[in-house]
Amino acid sequence: MVEIRWHSRAGQGAVSGAKGLGDVVATTGKEVQAFALYGSAKRGAALRAYNRIDDERILNHAKFMYPDFVLVIDPALAMSDNITMNDKESTKYIVTTHLSKEELINNIPALQGKEDRVYVADCIQISLDTIGRSMPNAPMLGAFVKISGMFELDYFLENMKRVLQKFPQKIIDANMEAITRAYNEVN
Amino acid sequence: MAVKFDLNEREVWDGAYAASQALRQAQVDVLAAYPITPSTPIVENYGSYEANGYIDGEVIMVESEHAAMSACVGASGSGGRVATATSSQGFALMAEVLYQASGMRLPIVMTVVNRALASPLNVRGDHSDMYLGRDSGWIQLGAFNAEEAYDLTLCAFKIGEDHSVRLPVMVHQDGFTTSHTAQNVYPITDEKAYKFVGDFKPVDDMLDFSRPVTYGAQTEEDWHFEHKARQHKAIMDSRPVIDATFEEFEKLSGRKYKRVETYHMDDAEVAIVALGTTVETALVAARELREEEGIKAGVVAIRVFRPFPLDQVRLALKDVKAVSVLDRSAPGGAMGAFFNEVSAALYTTNARPLVTNYIYGLGGRDFSIAEAKRIFKEQKAHADIGHITTDIQKFSGLRGPEFGYFQTLRG
C-alpha cells in the first residue's frame, strides 16, 4: 500500500490532482482511492487531499494515514501547515517552492534531518510558464512521477492525456509541458 | 433517443458519480430533486447527462426537498420510473412525503448520501438521516463503497418495482467517505444494466384513463390498520425478492450481495456489527488482529437495513462470545437503535453473547483501523472474563470527558 497526502489550498487543484493520479494509476491495474478533507471549501482555504494505491481492493476508509509521500503544492503551507504530521522514517516530501532545497529546509525545522528525502520543484512558476496561471497540481504530478519511480514519464503523459480529454488541445499540451518540466526539474 | 455514453471497463468514480451513472443506465423517466451537500453531485452529474442528451427522461428542479419527493410521488403515481437524491436536512424535510410514497406503494428510488442532522450544522457523514427513515416503510439498502453504491442503485429499481413488492427503495452511501472518495469501479455496460433492471411496468397508473384510480385516499379506523399491516407485510415479504435480485445481479456482474454480510465469522470469537464504510475499515482491523495477535475477530454488516434481517443477524452472531454494535447516530436518550435491534434478534436464540454499544463517527468523525482494533480487543477482554466489564453504551473517538451508560447485571 502506498499512501499519499497532498497539502494545498482550495483552487490549486489538489483534489483534481489526486483524482487524476488515481485515474492514471488505475490503468496499470492497481486499485486506488482518492479523497479530500476540506472545511467550508472557500477558495484559498487550506485543504488536504489523499491517495491510496494498492494491488488489492482498498478497504480502509479512514482519513488517518502514515503517508509514504507528502506533496505540498502551496509554498506558504510548507511553512504554516503541519506537513510532517504522522510521517514515517521513509516518508518522502515534494515541496513547491522558489527556494533551493537548502533554503527551504533551513526555514522548516520539521524537515531538518530529513534532507535525503526532501525534494523541491517550483510548481507555481512552472504552471505560470506553461499553463499561464497558477495551477501547481499538474507539475506536482510530474515531480511525483520522477521521485516515486512509479511510471515511465511517457506512459504517464499518454494516460494523463486521456484523463484531460474533455479539455481543448491547447490546455492538454500545456499540462503535458508542465508535467514534463517538473519531472526534469525536481531535485 | 439518448446519446451513447462511453464507459470503460475500469473507471475511477466516487460514490456520487457511480450512483448517477446507475440512474442514467436505469433510464429513469423523471428525476425531481433539490440538490443538497453531499448528494449534490448525483443531481449535478445527472443534470449534465440530461443537458448533453445522454438521457431521454426529464429532470425537474423544484423549490425544496418536500416538493422534490412530492413531484416523485406524482410522477410515480402517473406510471413512470422515478428517482431522486438527498441528504440530511433535505431528507428531514422530505420526511412527511416519504410516508406518503410508501403508503401509496410507489416504487421510487432515492439515493441517500448520509449526512449528520443539525444542529450544530454539519455537512459530513453519519447515519442520522438514514435512521430518521427507518420507520418510513421504505426498503433501505446500504453501500460500503462507491462500486456498491452503483450496484445497489441498479438493484433498487428491480426490487422496488417488482409487482409483489411495489415499495420505494433508498440506497444509502456515506457522505464524503463514499460519495466524494474516488475508487476503482467496474461498471456494467448500458445494455446489460438496462436488461437487468428491465422495463418499468406500471400498476394502477393514474394516466390510464380507461381505469381511473385514486391515490392517497383517507381511511380512518375502519381501514387504516389493514392498509398499514398490508404495507408491513409487503416490506417483510420483499426479502425473497431482494435475495433473488442479488442472485441475478451476481450472475451479471460476479459481485455477490447478501442481506447480511459476514466476514471471518466462521470461527469468530468477537465481532463488530456495523453499517456503511465502517464495515470495510473494521474488516481490515479484524484481518490484522488475526494475523498479529491471533484474535479471532469477525465483522457482521447489514446490507439491507429495512426490512431488518433479524433472521440472518442472529444466525451470523449465534456462536460469538462478545459483540459490539456500532451506531453512527446520536441516540437521543436511549441505547443505539441498531444495538437494540441486534440485541433483540440475539434474544430469540439460545446464544447469549455479551453485547455492547458504541456511538461513533458523528458528524464525520474519523473511524480508524486502530480504533476498530481497540474495540475488538475490548470485546476479547469481555469474552475472556465472561462478562461486560465496561459500561454497556460508550462513545468511540469522542474528545473530552468519557460518557458511558448502564452496567450489566449478568455475571
Short mmCIF file of all heavy atoms in Angstrom, two decimals, chain B residues 65-123:
data_model
loop_
_atom_site.label_atom_id
_atom_site.label_comp_id
_atom_site.label_asym_id
_atom_site.label_seq_id
_atom_site.Cartn_x
_atom_site.Cartn_y
_atom_site.Cartn_z
N GLU B 65 -36.94 20.03 -0.86
CA GLU B 65 -36.97 18.57 -0.87
C GLU B 65 -38.39 18.05 -0.66
O GLU B 65 -38.73 16.98 -1.17
CB GLU B 65 -36.05 18.02 0.22
CG GLU B 65 -34.57 18.12 -0.10
CD GLU B 65 -33.98 19.48 0.27
OE1 GLU B 65 -34.72 20.36 0.73
OE2 GLU B 65 -32.76 19.63 0.10
N HIS B 66 -39.19 18.81 0.09
CA HIS B 66 -40.59 18.40 0.26
C HIS B 66 -41.26 18.34 -1.11
O HIS B 66 -41.97 17.39 -1.45
CB HIS B 66 -41.29 19.40 1.19
CG HIS B 66 -42.67 18.96 1.61
ND1 HIS B 66 -43.76 19.09 0.78
CD2 HIS B 66 -43.13 18.40 2.76
CE1 HIS B 66 -44.84 18.62 1.42
NE2 HIS B 66 -44.47 18.20 2.61
N ALA B 67 -40.96 19.36 -1.93
CA ALA B 67 -41.51 19.40 -3.28
C ALA B 67 -40.88 18.32 -4.15
O ALA B 67 -41.55 17.74 -5.02
CB ALA B 67 -41.27 20.78 -3.90
N ALA B 68 -39.59 18.03 -3.93
CA ALA B 68 -38.92 17.01 -4.74
C ALA B 68 -39.61 15.67 -4.56
O ALA B 68 -39.97 14.99 -5.53
CB ALA B 68 -37.44 16.90 -4.35
N MET B 69 -39.83 15.27 -3.31
CA MET B 69 -40.47 13.98 -3.08
C MET B 69 -41.94 14.02 -3.51
O MET B 69 -42.47 13.03 -4.01
CB MET B 69 -40.33 13.59 -1.59
CG MET B 69 -40.80 12.17 -1.27
SD MET B 69 -40.23 10.86 -2.39
CE MET B 69 -38.47 10.85 -2.08
N SER B 70 -42.58 15.18 -3.38
CA SER B 70 -43.97 15.30 -3.84
C SER B 70 -44.03 15.10 -5.35
O SER B 70 -44.93 14.41 -5.87
CB SER B 70 -44.54 16.66 -3.46
OG SER B 70 -44.55 16.81 -2.05
N ALA B 71 -43.09 15.71 -6.08
CA ALA B 71 -43.05 15.53 -7.54
C ALA B 71 -42.78 14.08 -7.89
O ALA B 71 -43.36 13.54 -8.85
CB ALA B 71 -41.96 16.43 -8.14
N CYS B 72 -41.94 13.42 -7.10
CA CYS B 72 -41.67 12.00 -7.33
C CYS B 72 -42.95 11.18 -7.14
O CYS B 72 -43.22 10.25 -7.90
CB CYS B 72 -40.58 11.49 -6.38
SG CYS B 72 -38.93 12.05 -6.80
N VAL B 73 -43.71 11.53 -6.10
CA VAL B 73 -44.97 10.81 -5.84
C VAL B 73 -45.91 10.98 -7.03
O VAL B 73 -46.49 10.01 -7.54
CB VAL B 73 -45.62 11.32 -4.53
CG1 VAL B 73 -47.08 10.88 -4.43
CG2 VAL B 73 -44.83 10.84 -3.32
N GLY B 74 -46.02 12.20 -7.52
CA GLY B 74 -46.90 12.46 -8.66
C GLY B 74 -46.46 11.70 -9.90
O GLY B 74 -47.27 11.05 -10.58
N ALA B 75 -45.16 11.76 -10.18
CA ALA B 75 -44.64 11.11 -11.39
C ALA B 75 -44.74 9.60 -11.29
O ALA B 75 -45.07 8.91 -12.26
CB ALA B 75 -43.19 11.54 -11.62
N SER B 76 -44.48 9.07 -10.09
CA SER B 76 -44.54 7.62 -9.92
C SER B 76 -45.99 7.15 -10.00
O SER B 76 -46.28 6.14 -10.65
CB SER B 76 -43.91 7.24 -8.58
OG SER B 76 -43.84 5.84 -8.44
N GLY B 77 -46.88 7.89 -9.38
CA GLY B 77 -48.31 7.54 -9.45
C GLY B 77 -48.84 7.60 -10.87
O GLY B 77 -49.79 6.90 -11.24
N SER B 78 -48.21 8.44 -11.68
CA SER B 78 -48.64 8.57 -13.08
C SER B 78 -48.09 7.45 -13.95
O SER B 78 -48.43 7.35 -15.12
CB SER B 78 -48.19 9.92 -13.65
OG SER B 78 -48.66 10.96 -12.83
N GLY B 79 -47.21 6.63 -13.39
CA GLY B 79 -46.76 5.46 -14.14
C GLY B 79 -45.35 5.55 -14.70
O GLY B 79 -45.04 4.90 -15.69
N GLY B 80 -44.49 6.34 -14.08
CA GLY B 80 -43.12 6.45 -14.58
C GLY B 80 -42.11 5.85 -13.62
O GLY B 80 -42.39 5.65 -12.43
N ARG B 81 -40.93 5.57 -14.17
CA ARG B 81 -39.80 5.18 -13.31
C ARG B 81 -39.21 6.48 -12.77
O ARG B 81 -38.87 7.38 -13.54
CB ARG B 81 -38.76 4.42 -14.12
CG ARG B 81 -37.48 4.12 -13.33
CD ARG B 81 -36.58 3.14 -14.05
NE ARG B 81 -37.16 1.80 -14.00
CZ ARG B 81 -36.83 0.81 -14.83
NH1 ARG B 81 -35.95 1.00 -15.79
NH2 ARG B 81 -37.41 -0.38 -14.71
N VAL B 82 -39.09 6.55 -11.44
CA VAL B 82 -38.81 7.83 -10.80
C VAL B 82 -37.68 7.68 -9.78
O VAL B 82 -37.59 6.67 -9.09
CB VAL B 82 -40.08 8.36 -10.08
CG1 VAL B 82 -39.78 9.63 -9.30
CG2 VAL B 82 -41.18 8.61 -11.10
N ALA B 83 -36.83 8.70 -9.73
CA ALA B 83 -35.73 8.67 -8.76
C ALA B 83 -35.44 10.08 -8.25
O ALA B 83 -35.82 11.07 -8.87
CB ALA B 83 -34.47 8.08 -9.40
N THR B 84 -34.73 10.13 -7.13
CA THR B 84 -34.25 11.40 -6.60
C THR B 84 -33.02 11.13 -5.74
O THR B 84 -32.59 9.99 -5.61
CB THR B 84 -35.34 12.14 -5.80
OG1 THR B 84 -34.85 13.43 -5.42
CG2 THR B 84 -35.73 11.38 -4.54
N ALA B 85 -32.46 12.19 -5.19
CA ALA B 85 -31.29 12.06 -4.30
C ALA B 85 -31.41 13.12 -3.22
O ALA B 85 -31.91 14.22 -3.48
CB ALA B 85 -30.00 12.28 -5.09
N THR B 86 -30.94 12.79 -2.03
CA THR B 86 -30.92 13.81 -0.98
C THR B 86 -29.96 13.41 0.13
O THR B 86 -29.29 12.38 0.08
CB THR B 86 -32.32 14.09 -0.42
OG1 THR B 86 -32.32 15.36 0.25
CG2 THR B 86 -32.76 13.02 0.57
N SER B 87 -29.88 14.28 1.14
CA SER B 87 -29.07 14.08 2.33
C SER B 87 -29.67 14.89 3.48
O SER B 87 -30.31 15.92 3.23
CB SER B 87 -27.64 14.64 2.13
OG SER B 87 -26.97 13.99 1.08
N SER B 88 -29.44 14.43 4.69
CA SER B 88 -29.56 15.25 5.89
C SER B 88 -30.82 16.10 6.01
O SER B 88 -31.92 15.58 6.03
CB SER B 88 -28.30 16.13 5.99
OG SER B 88 -28.31 16.91 7.15
N GLN B 89 -30.63 17.43 6.04
CA GLN B 89 -31.76 18.34 6.24
C GLN B 89 -32.79 18.15 5.13
O GLN B 89 -33.99 18.29 5.36
CB GLN B 89 -31.30 19.80 6.24
CG GLN B 89 -30.11 20.11 7.14
CD GLN B 89 -30.33 19.69 8.56
OE1 GLN B 89 -29.57 18.95 9.14
NE2 GLN B 89 -31.41 20.17 9.15
N GLY B 90 -32.33 17.88 3.94
CA GLY B 90 -33.23 17.64 2.82
C GLY B 90 -34.07 16.40 3.07
O GLY B 90 -35.28 16.38 2.83
N PHE B 91 -33.41 15.38 3.58
CA PHE B 91 -34.09 14.14 3.94
C PHE B 91 -35.16 14.43 5.00
O PHE B 91 -36.29 13.97 4.91
CB PHE B 91 -33.06 13.15 4.46
CG PHE B 91 -33.58 11.75 4.68
CD1 PHE B 91 -33.30 10.75 3.76
CD2 PHE B 91 -34.32 11.44 5.80
CE1 PHE B 91 -33.77 9.46 3.96
CE2 PHE B 91 -34.79 10.16 6.01
CZ PHE B 91 -34.51 9.16 5.08
N ALA B 92 -34.75 15.24 6.00
CA ALA B 92 -35.68 15.56 7.08
C ALA B 92 -36.89 16.32 6.55
O ALA B 92 -38.03 16.07 6.98
CB ALA B 92 -34.96 16.39 8.15
N LEU B 93 -36.66 17.21 5.60
CA LEU B 93 -37.77 17.98 5.04
C LEU B 93 -38.71 17.09 4.22
O LEU B 93 -39.88 17.37 4.06
CB LEU B 93 -37.23 19.14 4.19
CG LEU B 93 -38.24 20.18 3.70
CD1 LEU B 93 -39.05 20.76 4.83
CD2 LEU B 93 -37.54 21.27 2.92
N MET B 94 -38.16 16.02 3.68
CA MET B 94 -38.97 15.06 2.90
C MET B 94 -39.80 14.14 3.77
O MET B 94 -40.67 13.44 3.26
CB MET B 94 -38.04 14.14 2.09
CG MET B 94 -37.53 14.67 0.81
SD MET B 94 -36.53 13.37 0.05
CE MET B 94 -35.98 14.26 -1.40
N ALA B 95 -39.48 14.10 5.07
CA ALA B 95 -39.99 13.02 5.93
C ALA B 95 -41.49 12.78 5.74
O ALA B 95 -41.92 11.63 5.60
CB ALA B 95 -39.67 13.32 7.39
N GLU B 96 -42.28 13.85 5.71
CA GLU B 96 -43.72 13.67 5.58
C GLU B 96 -44.07 12.89 4.32
O GLU B 96 -44.88 11.96 4.33
CB GLU B 96 -44.41 15.05 5.54
CG GLU B 96 -45.90 14.92 5.44
CD GLU B 96 -46.58 16.15 4.85
OE1 GLU B 96 -45.94 17.21 4.71
OE2 GLU B 96 -47.76 16.03 4.50
N VAL B 97 -43.40 13.27 3.23
CA VAL B 97 -43.77 12.69 1.94
C VAL B 97 -43.20 11.27 1.76
O VAL B 97 -43.70 10.49 0.96
CB VAL B 97 -43.34 13.63 0.79
CG1 VAL B 97 -44.09 13.26 -0.49
CG2 VAL B 97 -43.60 15.08 1.14
N LEU B 98 -42.14 10.95 2.54
CA LEU B 98 -41.61 9.59 2.48
C LEU B 98 -42.69 8.58 2.86
O LEU B 98 -42.84 7.53 2.24
CB LEU B 98 -40.42 9.43 3.44
CG LEU B 98 -39.16 10.25 3.13
CD1 LEU B 98 -38.11 9.99 4.21
CD2 LEU B 98 -38.62 9.91 1.76
N TYR B 99 -43.44 8.93 3.91
CA TYR B 99 -44.50 8.04 4.37
C TYR B 99 -45.64 7.99 3.34
O TYR B 99 -46.28 6.96 3.17
CB TYR B 99 -45.04 8.52 5.72
CG TYR B 99 -44.14 8.19 6.90
CD1 TYR B 99 -42.93 8.85 7.09
CD2 TYR B 99 -44.51 7.22 7.82
CE1 TYR B 99 -42.11 8.56 8.17
CE2 TYR B 99 -43.70 6.91 8.90
CZ TYR B 99 -42.50 7.57 9.08
OH TYR B 99 -41.70 7.28 10.14
N GLN B 100 -45.89 9.11 2.67
CA GLN B 100 -46.92 9.12 1.61
C GLN B 100 -46.51 8.15 0.50
O GLN B 100 -47.30 7.37 0.00
CB GLN B 100 -47.04 10.54 1.01
CG GLN B 100 -47.32 11.63 2.01
CD GLN B 100 -48.81 11.88 2.22
OE1 GLN B 100 -49.64 11.09 1.80
NE2 GLN B 100 -49.13 12.98 2.88
N ALA B 101 -45.22 8.23 0.10
CA ALA B 101 -44.75 7.41 -1.02
C ALA B 101 -44.87 5.92 -0.70
O ALA B 101 -45.34 5.14 -1.53
CB ALA B 101 -43.30 7.77 -1.33
N SER B 102 -44.46 5.53 0.51
CA SER B 102 -44.51 4.10 0.83
C SER B 102 -45.95 3.66 1.04
O SER B 102 -46.33 2.56 0.63
CB SER B 102 -43.66 3.80 2.07
OG SER B 102 -44.15 4.50 3.19
N GLY B 103 -46.76 4.53 1.64
CA GLY B 103 -48.17 4.19 1.87
C GLY B 103 -48.93 4.03 0.56
O GLY B 103 -49.87 3.22 0.46
N MET B 104 -48.54 4.80 -0.45
CA MET B 104 -49.19 4.67 -1.77
C MET B 104 -48.54 3.58 -2.62
O MET B 104 -48.90 3.40 -3.76
CB MET B 104 -49.13 6.01 -2.51
CG MET B 104 -49.96 7.10 -1.87
SD MET B 104 -49.93 8.58 -2.91
CE MET B 104 -49.98 9.86 -1.68
N ARG B 105 -47.53 2.90 -2.02
CA ARG B 105 -46.84 1.78 -2.68
C ARG B 105 -46.22 2.21 -4.00
O ARG B 105 -46.38 1.57 -5.03
CB ARG B 105 -47.81 0.60 -2.87
CG ARG B 105 -48.50 0.14 -1.59
CD ARG B 105 -47.56 -0.63 -0.71
NE ARG B 105 -47.05 -1.81 -1.35
CZ ARG B 105 -47.70 -2.99 -1.36
NH1 ARG B 105 -48.83 -3.13 -0.75
NH2 ARG B 105 -47.16 -4.04 -1.94
N LEU B 106 -45.48 3.32 -3.97
CA LEU B 106 -44.85 3.86 -5.18
C LEU B 106 -43.36 3.50 -5.20
O LEU B 106 -42.62 3.90 -4.30
CB LEU B 106 -45.03 5.39 -5.22
CG LEU B 106 -46.49 5.84 -5.26
CD1 LEU B 106 -46.58 7.35 -5.08
CD2 LEU B 106 -47.16 5.42 -6.56
N PRO B 107 -42.91 2.79 -6.23
CA PRO B 107 -41.53 2.28 -6.23
C PRO B 107 -40.49 3.32 -6.63
O PRO B 107 -39.72 3.14 -7.58
CB PRO B 107 -41.61 1.14 -7.24
CG PRO B 107 -42.67 1.56 -8.19
CD PRO B 107 -43.68 2.33 -7.38
N ILE B 108 -40.45 4.41 -5.90
CA ILE B 108 -39.46 5.48 -6.16
C ILE B 108 -38.09 5.01 -5.64
O ILE B 108 -38.02 4.38 -4.58
CB ILE B 108 -39.90 6.76 -5.42
CG1 ILE B 108 -41.26 7.25 -5.96
CG2 ILE B 108 -38.84 7.85 -5.52
CD1 ILE B 108 -41.99 8.19 -5.02
N VAL B 109 -37.04 5.34 -6.36
CA VAL B 109 -35.69 5.04 -5.87
C VAL B 109 -35.03 6.33 -5.43
O VAL B 109 -35.00 7.31 -6.19
CB VAL B 109 -34.84 4.33 -6.94
CG1 VAL B 109 -33.37 4.26 -6.51
CG2 VAL B 109 -35.38 2.92 -7.19
N MET B 110 -34.52 6.34 -4.20
CA MET B 110 -33.83 7.53 -3.71
C MET B 110 -32.42 7.16 -3.29
O MET B 110 -32.22 6.29 -2.44
CB MET B 110 -34.57 8.15 -2.53
CG MET B 110 -33.83 9.35 -1.94
SD MET B 110 -34.88 10.51 -1.11
CE MET B 110 -35.22 9.65 0.40
N THR B 111 -31.45 7.84 -3.90
CA THR B 111 -30.06 7.66 -3.48
C THR B 111 -29.82 8.65 -2.34
O THR B 111 -29.97 9.86 -2.52
CB THR B 111 -29.10 7.91 -4.64
OG1 THR B 111 -29.38 9.18 -5.20
CG2 THR B 111 -29.26 6.86 -5.71
N VAL B 112 -29.49 8.12 -1.18
CA VAL B 112 -29.30 8.96 0.01
C VAL B 112 -27.81 8.98 0.35
O VAL B 112 -27.21 7.93 0.59
CB VAL B 112 -30.10 8.43 1.22
CG1 VAL B 112 -29.91 9.36 2.42
CG2 VAL B 112 -31.57 8.29 0.87
N VAL B 113 -27.23 10.15 0.33
CA VAL B 113 -25.84 10.29 0.78
C VAL B 113 -25.90 10.72 2.24
O VAL B 113 -26.26 11.85 2.55
CB VAL B 113 -25.07 11.28 -0.10
CG1 VAL B 113 -23.64 11.41 0.42
CG2 VAL B 113 -25.07 10.84 -1.55
N ASN B 114 -25.60 9.79 3.12
CA ASN B 114 -25.82 10.01 4.55
C ASN B 114 -24.99 11.15 5.10
O ASN B 114 -23.79 11.25 4.84
CB ASN B 114 -25.49 8.74 5.33
CG ASN B 114 -26.44 7.61 5.02
OD1 ASN B 114 -27.62 7.84 4.76
ND2 ASN B 114 -25.93 6.41 5.01
N ARG B 115 -25.65 11.99 5.88
CA ARG B 115 -25.02 13.16 6.47
C ARG B 115 -25.69 13.46 7.80
O ARG B 115 -26.86 13.17 8.00
CB ARG B 115 -25.19 14.35 5.51
CG ARG B 115 -24.85 15.69 6.10
CD ARG B 115 -25.19 16.84 5.13
NE ARG B 115 -25.50 18.03 5.89
CZ ARG B 115 -25.91 19.18 5.37
NH1 ARG B 115 -26.06 19.30 4.07
NH2 ARG B 115 -26.18 20.20 6.14
N ALA B 116 -24.91 14.10 8.69
CA ALA B 116 -25.41 14.45 10.01
C ALA B 116 -26.60 15.41 9.91
O ALA B 116 -26.76 16.12 8.93
CB ALA B 116 -24.29 15.11 10.82
N LEU B 117 -27.40 15.42 10.98
CA LEU B 117 -28.51 16.38 11.07
C LEU B 117 -28.13 17.50 12.04
O LEU B 117 -27.58 17.24 13.10
CB LEU B 117 -29.76 15.67 11.61
CG LEU B 117 -30.51 14.77 10.62
CD1 LEU B 117 -31.53 13.93 11.37
CD2 LEU B 117 -31.20 15.59 9.55
N ALA B 118 -28.45 18.73 11.65
CA ALA B 118 -28.21 19.89 12.52
C ALA B 118 -29.23 19.87 13.65
O ALA B 118 -30.29 19.27 13.51
CB ALA B 118 -28.33 21.17 11.71
N SER B 119 -28.93 20.57 14.73
CA SER B 119 -27.85 21.46 14.99
C SER B 119 -26.83 20.78 15.92
O SER B 119 -27.25 19.94 16.70
CB SER B 119 -28.43 22.73 15.64
OG SER B 119 -27.45 23.63 16.00
N PRO B 120 -25.53 21.13 15.92
CA PRO B 120 -24.88 22.12 15.07
C PRO B 120 -24.83 21.68 13.60
O PRO B 120 -24.78 20.49 13.32
CB PRO B 120 -23.47 22.20 15.64
CG PRO B 120 -23.46 21.44 16.91
CD PRO B 120 -24.60 20.49 16.84
N LEU B 121 -24.82 22.67 12.72
CA LEU B 121 -24.76 22.40 11.29
C LEU B 121 -23.50 21.62 10.96
O LEU B 121 -22.42 21.94 11.46
CB LEU B 121 -24.78 23.72 10.52
CG LEU B 121 -24.86 23.59 8.99
CD1 LEU B 121 -26.17 22.95 8.56
CD2 LEU B 121 -24.69 24.94 8.33
N ASN B 122 -23.64 20.61 10.12
CA ASN B 122 -22.50 19.76 9.78
C ASN B 122 -22.84 19.10 8.44
O ASN B 122 -23.94 18.58 8.26
CB ASN B 122 -22.32 18.70 10.89
CG ASN B 122 -21.20 17.72 10.60
OD1 ASN B 122 -21.24 16.99 9.63
ND2 ASN B 122 -20.18 17.72 11.43
N VAL B 123 -21.89 19.14 7.50
CA VAL B 123 -22.18 18.55 6.18
C VAL B 123 -21.64 17.13 6.05
O VAL B 123 -21.81 16.51 5.01
CB VAL B 123 -21.60 19.41 5.04
CG1 VAL B 123 -22.20 20.81 5.06
CG2 VAL B 123 -20.07 19.47 5.08
#
